[in-house]
Structures are given as C-alpha cells and as structure tokens.
Amino acid sequence: MLQTHQSFAVTDLHRLAVSILVSSGVPSDDADLTARSLVQADQRGIFSHGLLRLPLYAEAIRLGGINPTPTLSYSSKANAVAVLDADAALGQVAMQSAVDKVLEMGRVQGIAAVAVQNSSHYGAGAFWSDQLAAAGFLSFITSSTGPVVAPHGGTAKVLGTNPLTLGAPASADWPLTADLATSNGAYGKVIAARNEGQQLPEGWAVDTDGNPTTDPDEAAAGSMIPFGNHKGSAVSVLLEAFASSLTAATYAYETVDIWSSPSSRMNNGHLIVGINAEAFTSRSHTEARVADLQQRVRDAGPASREIHAPGDPERSKEGAAATSVRLPVSTAEQLRELALKLSLNINI
C-alpha cells in the first residue's frame, strides 16, 4: 500500500522549522513563534495551515513578499482600538503583537480591537483565540486572504477564504472554539490535494467555466465556493469588509495571491476583537457558563454516538499527537528539499 503519511517527533519538526526560518533571515524569537503555530496546526490535524506553508513562507521571504525583519507600528484614535501596520511581516509576528495589544487594552477598557494592515498569512486562527481565552477573553478574529473564492452564483475570484475564528473561555477542558474558512474548504487543502495527487470533495470548487470540479488544478484555476450557499457567501463578504475596510489593507480581489506569486506583498488585513469577561459579570461566571454549554452540547446525542462541542476534535488530535505527528508524505518531502537547499544539517 502506498504510504501517505510519515510520523515525526514534534521536537524535530519544531527544530527544523525554526532552522529554516532563521536561515531565511527571521529572528530566532519570531522563528520560534511561527514554528509553534505551524506545528500545532499539524498536531491538530489542520494540515492546510501547518508545515505545508513553510516552503511558501521561505520562498516569499526570499523573493520579498514577506519581510523577515519588519518594523511594527501602531496608531490609535481611541483608548480601546488601534491600527497595526505590520510592514509585510510574517502573519504570526503581526498577530502576536496584535493579540498582546488587545489584552493590554482590554484589561483596562473591558473590550478592545486591533485592525492590522500590511500583513500575511497568520496560520490557524485558534492559535490566537486560545491565547485570548487563556486570559479570560472571548474573541472574534478574521482576515482577508488571496482571491480564491467566487460569491454565490458567480465565477470571478472576488473573495478570499476569509477565515472566522470565535473563542470563549471555559472552566473545564479547553475553550469553546470555532475556527473555519468561509469557503467550503480551506485553500491550503486544495494545495495539499494537488501535492498528494488526491481529488477534492464535491461541492468545494468550480472550474473557470463555473462547472463543479473535484480536480485541484481546475479548482486552483477556477474558484472555491462559499459554505452555506447564499448565507455563507453573505458572511464571507461581510468578513472581507471587517478585515480590510478599517485600514489600508487590500480586499482579496485587489491583491495577487502569494501562492501564485511569492513575491507579492499581499497587504492582508486582520481584525481581532477581545471581550474581557471580568469586565462583565465575572471571568469565573463566564467560564463556568461556557463550560455548561460545552458539556450540554456533548451530552446531546444518543449514548451510542459521541457528540463534539466546537473545538473538541482538534484538541483531541493534539493530545494524541503530543510527541509525534503524522505528516503527509508530500509535505515531508518538500521540507527535506528545502532543508537541503538551505544547507541545513537536520534530518527528518
């Protein structure tokens, strides 16, 4: 049987990712942050946002699409909001600064928001909402991306996959978390399917003529489809506005996707809103109430069926992959090739 995945020690993958980023000119602390984000996504089974992205990041850094040593700058017109110009930083570097700023302002004001411009892909959104939840904050996070999605009924790539992340702290287990693309599938899964020679699920994409397709090459040339028909399309359009209209960030249709041209400075926009539970009834009250809801969802099925609260499947996978991760063979091969190209003496 053809091998599709290989197991690797988490520590080895993290060390390799840090070395690749540092060799590409990224400062060690920023490299560590980015590596943790990518490896955690793979641990949670979100391979579209994991180390699959690292060769793209390295190539974008090499060609100027991502700035490895940015100067982050804030501006503000009010006490609880700020705009961050990320200077074409790695999205993880921009987001860590923005999350820290939301926590700083939110502890004083009760609610805070940071809008980011001149950024790039920030990995899986739950990496950021988890940090906010750990501090007792509920959160709303979204981002613009490259142009890969057509609005409902259309064929033109007007929208991005426009991720939506919602998080709420709970007193037991882990946060209640929804982290999803507003297209039927993440675009990274199209790339992964192409790399692995797999077909896409039906209903994910259309070709250039608007015909349904399961071929990842035709999907890349054509368009992804929003989830939920006209309702999901409406959500995606509004998230585009939330992510980019508050700053000088570009809409998806105004930029060139970094997957198509790694030299593209995409000027992605992000929006992070944090709500400090302590400023309302109390943090302990909110966390207990969220845990009640979380458990009620889990208890909603028949005894023969396990029901997951939002975020449960990813956290369960992460627990099972605490020390070892099974990566797609295509991703492992790309990482080896990149390490060899950079003359890194690290084997996986």
Side-chain angles (χ1 to χ4, degrees), residues 155 205-214 218 222-223 225:
T155 57
V206 295
D207 63 19
T208 53
D209 294 322
N211 300 311
T213 183
T214 60
E218 291 183 356
S223 300
I225 298 172

Coordinates of all heavy atoms in Angstrom, one line a residue, residues 155 205-214 218 222-223 225:
T155 N -18.5 33.4 -10.8 CA -17.3 32.6 -11.2 C -16.0 33.5 -10.9 O -14.9 32.9 -10.9 CB -17.3 32.2 -12.6 OG1 -17.5 33.4 -13.5 CG2 -18.5 31.3 -12.9
A205 N -15.5 23.4 -5.2 CA -15.0 24.4 -6.2 C -15.7 24.2 -7.6 O -16.3 23.2 -7.8 CB -13.5 24.1 -6.4
V206 N -15.4 25.3 -8.4 CA -15.9 25.2 -9.8 C -14.7 25.5 -10.7 O -13.7 26.2 -10.2 CB -17.0 26.3 -10.0 CG1 -18.2 25.9 -9.3 CG2 -16.5 27.7 -9.7
D207 N -14.7 25.1 -11.9 CA -13.6 25.4 -12.9 C -13.8 26.8 -13.4 O -14.7 27.5 -13.0 CB -13.5 24.3 -13.9 CG -14.8 24.2 -14.8 OD1 -15.6 25.2 -14.9 OD2 -15.0 23.2 -15.5
T208 N -13.0 27.2 -14.4 CA -13.1 28.5 -15.0 C -14.4 28.8 -15.7 O -14.8 30.0 -15.9 CB -11.9 28.8 -15.9 OG1 -11.9 27.7 -16.9 CG2 -10.6 28.8 -15.2
D209 N -15.1 27.8 -16.1 CA -16.5 28.0 -16.7 C -17.6 27.9 -15.7 O -18.8 28.0 -16.1 CB -16.7 26.9 -17.8 CG -15.7 27.0 -18.9 OD1 -15.4 28.2 -19.3 OD2 -15.2 26.0 -19.5
G210 N -17.3 27.7 -14.4 CA -18.3 27.7 -13.4 C -18.9 26.3 -13.2 O -19.9 26.2 -12.5
N211 N -18.3 25.3 -13.8 CA -18.8 23.9 -13.6 C -18.1 23.3 -12.4 O -17.0 23.5 -12.1 CB -18.4 23.1 -14.8 CG -19.0 23.6 -16.1 OD1 -20.2 23.9 -16.2 ND2 -18.2 23.7 -17.2
P212 N -18.9 22.5 -11.6 CA -18.4 21.8 -10.4 C -17.2 21.0 -10.8 O -17.2 20.3 -11.8 CB -19.5 21.0 -9.9 CG -20.8 21.6 -10.5 CD -20.3 22.2 -11.8
T213 N -16.2 21.0 -9.9 CA -15.0 20.2 -10.2 C -14.4 19.6 -8.9 O -14.6 20.2 -7.8 CB -13.9 21.0 -10.9 OG1 -12.8 20.1 -11.2 CG2 -13.4 22.1 -10.1
T214 N -13.8 18.5 -9.0 CA -13.1 17.9 -7.8 C -11.6 17.8 -8.1 O -10.8 17.3 -7.3 CB -13.6 16.5 -7.5 OG1 -13.4 15.6 -8.7 CG2 -15.1 16.5 -7.1
E218 N -7.9 22.3 -11.5 CA -9.0 23.0 -12.1 C -9.6 24.0 -11.0 O -10.0 25.1 -11.3 CB -10.1 22.1 -12.6 CG -9.7 21.3 -13.8 CD -10.9 20.4 -14.3 OE1 -11.9 20.4 -13.7 OE2 -10.7 19.8 -15.4
G222 N -9.9 27.8 -11.3 CA -11.3 28.3 -11.1 C -11.5 29.0 -9.8 O -10.7 29.9 -9.5
S223 N -12.5 28.6 -9.1 CA -12.8 29.3 -7.8 C -13.3 28.3 -6.8 O -13.9 27.3 -7.1 CB -13.9 30.4 -8.1 OG -13.5 31.4 -9.0
I225 N -15.9 27.7 -3.5 CA -17.3 28.1 -3.3 C -17.5 28.4 -1.8 O -17.0 27.7 -0.9 CB -18.2 26.9 -3.7 CG1 -18.0 26.6 -5.2 CG2 -19.6 27.2 -3.4 CD1 -18.7 25.3 -5.6

